[in-house]
Amino acid sequence: MIAKKEEKRIRTRFAPSPTGHLHIGTIRTALFPFLFARKNKGTFILRIEDTDLERSKKEWEDELLMGLNWMGINWDEGPVVNSSNYIGEHSPYRQSERTKIYRKYLEQMLADGHAYYCFCSKEEVEAQKQYLMSIGESPVYRGACRDLPKETVEKYLKEGRPSVIRFRTPTDTKVSFNDLIRGEIEVSTETMGDFVLAKDLDTALFNFTCAVDDVEMEITHVIRGEDHIPNTPKQILIIRALGFEEPKYAHLSLILGTDKKKLSKRTSKTSLIDYKDDGYLPEAILNFIAFLGWNPGTEKEIYSLDELIADFSIEKIQKSAAIFNVEKLDWINGFYIRKKSLFDLTKECVPYLIRANLIREIAVEKYSIIETGEEIHLEEIEKMVALYHERLKKLSEIVELIDFCFLKELDYPTELLKWKEMSNQEIIDSLNKSKDIISNIEFNKQNLEKELMEEANKLTNRGNLLWPLRAALSGKKNSAGPMEIAFVLGKEKTIIRIEQAIKKLK
Ligand code: GLU
């Protein structure tokens, strides 16, 4: 009996090119291989594909690492682990540092004939492509330099003629692979031609470096965006030519906006940093992103990272495009905001208030209100945040919701104080009534509620008392209720605001 071949330990990778801001969609390309590796007790590798030296920048790589760390997508092997340079079996993990490895394989392929030097000029290649298109064939390189005698190649190289290294693509055959999401994909080699592997021995290009690294790093499952489907047959051919077995492939569908168009900077925020700055929580983004093209097949929508790992499977990834619906993200974010303790939420809101120049930190959990110079403790800010704990969708919103708590005098149109058909005099009377009540009670939440509601209930329209008071205290069209706000502002400020409103009306 033949012993069953032992399944290889699962190794997945995320292989971003640090050429721009970390796109929110890119997080999914990291998340799925990560979840798959974790679920199967495998290894998740981060490989930085920075061979395009002009477009790759350290700052983009830093942003990438920061973004992944913030999201809790931790890698087992990669350029930096626990802020120390990781020396692993497959290190280095930056392609720009792997030139020697690529060179070795390029030399091997040149020696065994799987690759060859091509000296055609750009113009010649272009002319050939134009011709092929004119006769209705794929505009690919058809190998004019394929069979140059060895001596000619050596002579040209010695002369320093410009050249590239091309793959000797097998002619008239097909490459097929079983995509774990899309099923069988088959491509004719006639559509590939002899594509370029490297500009020279020290400058390998994407398909080559990616293919080499996937086998060198013993990747078992390549999970990546569908934009790479056309590259896969080429990479498979390279891997086979090198004498290795290719990994399994799974290509994730596109992510589109609700307008069914590609997410673009013009119509929405696209970079993870912007979402972070806007006050989306990492656990909410993670939960939301996981559902872009995957779902557990149940009604359950709220998933922690551990639950995602437990329930994740490639079979449940969809082929069709995923729709990025910000409203859904807002809803999930709101859910996680409500799960936070008020204390934790307040601490996360404080940086937004500081950035908006409302307060300044003066000591631990102590702040100074910029406009009034008053000192304020975190506990008091907590009360303000509490007004909106149930409604907040993202942290940045806190600024416009509670800014009125930190201002000396509110700037709002007098019209705002008016409820329905009230005259100015009626509003003044109403505000004076509220002022009287507030001045004469023992100032606490219950009393405010009780006395003001009692008074309001006497009227045919409660709004006649409550609306002008709420507008006077918040200066806003929409806000929390007047009693809640009065309690947060405190007696003195509440009375001052009522007086300021009355003055506006006179
Ligand atoms: N570096 C490629 C990119 O950022 C990804 C390559 C891959 O996943 O195979 O698009």
Side-chain angles (χ1 to χ4, degrees), residues 13 15-17 49 206 210 224 228:
R13 60 19 167 225
S17 302
E49 299 207 325
F206 168 68
C210 184
R224 61 182 172 190
H228 287 289

Side-chain angles (χ1 to χ4, degrees), residues 21 25 78 91 94 143 147 212 256 265 268 296 308 344 384 491:
H21 282 297
S91 117
R94 249 181 229 107
D147 301 310
V212 164
L256 303 177
K265 269 188 231 152
S268 58
L308 283 171
D344 286 346
M384 299 168 183
K491 188 166 184 167

Side-chain angles (χ1 to χ4, degrees), residues 288-306:
F288 171 73
I289 293 286
F291 275 75
L292 290 178
W294 173 86
N295 84 67
T298 65
E299 298 284 287
K300 187 170 151 98
E301 285 188 295
I302 295 296
Y303 265 89
S304 68
L305 184 54
D306 284 344

Side-chain angles (χ1 to χ4, degrees), residues 260-315:
K260 303 274 158 70
K261 294 202 183 107
K262 230 176 130 179
L263 287 186
S264 95
K265 269 188 231 152
R266 276 184 302 111
T267 51
S268 58
K269 280 193 294 289
T270 53
S271 90
L272 181 72
I273 295 288
D274 289 342
Y275 283 86
K276 181 173 186 275
D277 287 350
D278 217 4
Y280 287 96
L281 306 175
E283 55 272 41
I285 298 180
L286 204 79
N287 191 155
F288 171 73
I289 293 286
F291 275 75
L292 290 178
W294 173 86
N295 84 67
T298 65
E299 298 284 287
K300 187 170 151 98
E301 285 188 295
I302 295 296
Y303 265 89
S304 68
L305 184 54
D306 284 344
E307 289 170 325
L308 283 171
I309 292 170
D311 280 8
F312 187 77
S313 78
I314 291 190
E315 292 78 54

Side-chain angles (χ1 to χ4, degrees), residues 13-19 26 29 47-50 95 206 210-211 214 222-225 227-228 231 235 249 251:
R13 60 19 167 225
F14 171 47
S17 302
T19 53
T26 306
T29 323
R47 179 170 82 225
I48 304 291
E49 299 207 325
D50 57 350
Q95 289 193 327
F206 168 68
C210 184
D214 282 339
V222 169
I223 303 172
R224 61 182 172 190
D227 48 325
H228 287 289
N231 294 322
Q235 295 178 6
Y249 293 91
H251 289 96

